Amino acid sequence: MDKFNLPPHEDESALQKSGPLIRDLADDEKPREKAMQHGFEALSDAELLALLLGTGVPGKSVIDLARDILRDNDNKLRILARRSIHDLMRSYKGMGPAKATLLVAAMEFGARCQADFGVKDPQMASSNDVYQYMRHRLERLNYEEFWILHLSRANRVQHAERMGRGGLASTAVDPRLIAKSAIDHLSSGLILVHNHPSGNLVPSTQDDALTRRIRDVAKICDIIVQDHIIIGPSSYYSYRDQGRL
């Protein structure tokens, strides 16, 4: 018998009946490629779910598996979000703990993101706001750390980032890296924060020079340095409050 006329293997027949595999689809129909070209909002719920699952199960492509899962849950993500790992494993043949755990984790992550949208980022309206926001990170340290707060136009903290960690009296910080980080985070403003473990809050000559360099580099990028706060074991110093910025 001609080898090219052999009947398809039983598994191959099952795969063909289940629909095309992702690798057999046109590029603009593959979920990953479609997301990269058009954005995730262009993907259907089934395509997003397929991306999370990664691969199908024996006899079923990942797209068809995703469609089956959605159909079994009345095409409502809120119902699917209540399914447990063991429930998913029992309900879908070939779905092991890895796929089920990833799916449940993704649903939990989405729920936490949604909850986080309801929480406003803290607004830095004064030097004391900055002190209260950062003191728990710095006031008990016996070495210096240098942080920056990335601010929105409304002076709300978008991100707090440690830029340097040093010894008892100083820490090395590169103003160019701070400017790059501010650009990457689309910051409208910055607040510089570091600590003096000794408790002496008077800025050093090096503190003054570093503040000027960061301010000047950030200004080129149209980013304003709002303040530089020095935190000690029980109090703080503000460059802006002292009219030095």
Side-chain angles (χ1 to χ4, degrees), residues 2 15-16 20 29 41 45 50 52 64 67 83 86 98 101 105 121 136 146 168 177 187 195 203 206 214 216 237 244:
D2 190 318
L15 286 173
Q16 290 170 359
E29 295 178 324
E41 63 275 8
D45 289 348
L52 288 172
D64 287 328
R67 288 171 179 159
R83 303 287 292 270
H86 296 294
T101 301
D121 296 319
H136 73 284
F146 194 99
L168 295 176
L177 293 180
S187 304
N195 63 312
Q206 291 83 0
I214 296 174
D216 293 344
Y237 178 97
R244 301 188 58 198

Side-chain angles (χ1 to χ4, degrees), residues 15 18 20-23 31-32 46-67 69 92-96 98-100 102-103:
L15 286 173
S18 70
L21 299 175
I22 284 185
R23 65 171 180 265
R32 185 179 293 108
E47 290 170 327
L48 283 171
L49 183 54
L51 277 179
L52 288 172
L53 295 171
T55 60
V57 296
K60 187 168 294 186
S61 74
V62 66
I63 290 288
D64 287 328
L65 175 60
R67 288 171 179 159
I69 292 174
Y92 302 101
K93 183 179 179 181
M95 179 178 284
K99 286 185 188 297
L102 179 60
L103 181 54

Side-chain angles (χ1 to χ4, degrees), residues 202-215:
V202 178
S204 67
T205 302
Q206 291 83 0
D207 291 337
D208 292 342
L210 180 60
T211 302
R212 288 193 299 269
R213 290 201 304 272
I214 296 174
R215 180 196 61 194

Side-chain angles (χ1 to χ4, degrees), residues 18-243:
S18 70
L21 299 175
I22 284 185
R23 65 171 180 265
D24 298 324
L25 298 173
D27 283 348
D28 60 353
E29 295 178 324
K30 296 177 182 177
R32 185 179 293 108
E33 286 75 6
K34 187 176 178 181
M36 293 175 64
Q37 185 174 359
H38 303 291
F40 282 98
E41 63 275 8
L43 270 59
S44 66
D45 289 348
E47 290 170 327
L48 283 171
L49 183 54
L51 277 179
L52 288 172
L53 295 171
T55 60
V57 296
K60 187 168 294 186
S61 74
V62 66
I63 290 288
D64 287 328
L65 175 60
R67 288 171 179 159
D68 286 352
I69 292 174
L70 288 172
R71 184 167 52 249
D72 291 347
N73 291 276
D74 200 23
N75 290 309
K76 292 182 173 61
L77 295 179
R78 66 177 181 272
I79 297 177
L80 177 59
R82 293 198 291 265
R83 303 287 292 270
S84 69
I85 294 173
H86 296 294
D87 185 19
L88 290 169
M89 291 171 61
R90 285 195 303 267
S91 300
Y92 302 101
K93 183 179 179 181
M95 179 178 284
K99 286 185 188 297
T101 301
L102 179 60
L103 181 54
V104 172
M107 291 296 181
E108 173 64 20
F109 188 75
R112 294 187 186 187
C113 287
Q114 186 62 39
D116 197 44
F117 280 127
V119 179
K120 282 191 174 183
D121 296 319
Q123 189 173 41
M124 300 295 106
S126 68
S127 60
N128 187 60
D129 289 340
V130 182
Y131 174 59
Q132 297 301 330
Y133 184 73
M134 290 296 297
R135 62 183 299 185
H136 73 284
R137 303 178 192 259
L138 297 171
E139 65 183 359
R140 292 187 299 273
L141 298 181
N142 59 5
Y143 55 87
E144 282 199 12
E145 286 190 352
F146 194 99
W147 289 70
I148 58 174
L149 302 183
H150 297 273
L151 304 179
S152 69
R153 291 189 181 279
N155 285 345
R156 293 192 178 278
V157 178
Q158 304 298 298
H159 181 57
E161 182 177 15
R162 186 174 65 187
M163 299 300 297
R165 177 175 175 173
L168 295 176
S170 65
T171 182
V173 178
D174 189 335
R176 295 169 299 179
L177 293 180
I178 291 178
K180 180 182 183 302
S181 180
I183 292 171
D184 290 343
H185 286 88
L186 302 177
S187 304
S188 294
L190 295 175
I191 293 178
L192 317 178
V193 187
H194 82 283
N195 63 312
H196 280 182
S198 67
N200 179 9
L201 297 179
V202 178
S204 67
T205 302
Q206 291 83 0
D207 291 337
D208 292 342
L210 180 60
T211 302
R212 288 193 299 269
R213 290 201 304 272
I214 296 174
R215 180 196 61 194
D216 293 344
V217 172
K219 188 176 181 179
I220 295 173
C221 305
D222 198 26
I223 298 168
I224 300 173
V225 174
Q226 301 279 12
D227 204 346
H228 186 170
I229 303 292
I230 300 174
I231 293 179
S234 60
S235 189
Y236 73 96
Y237 178 97
S238 163
Y239 271 75
R240 179 165 294 281
D241 289 355
Q242 299 300 319

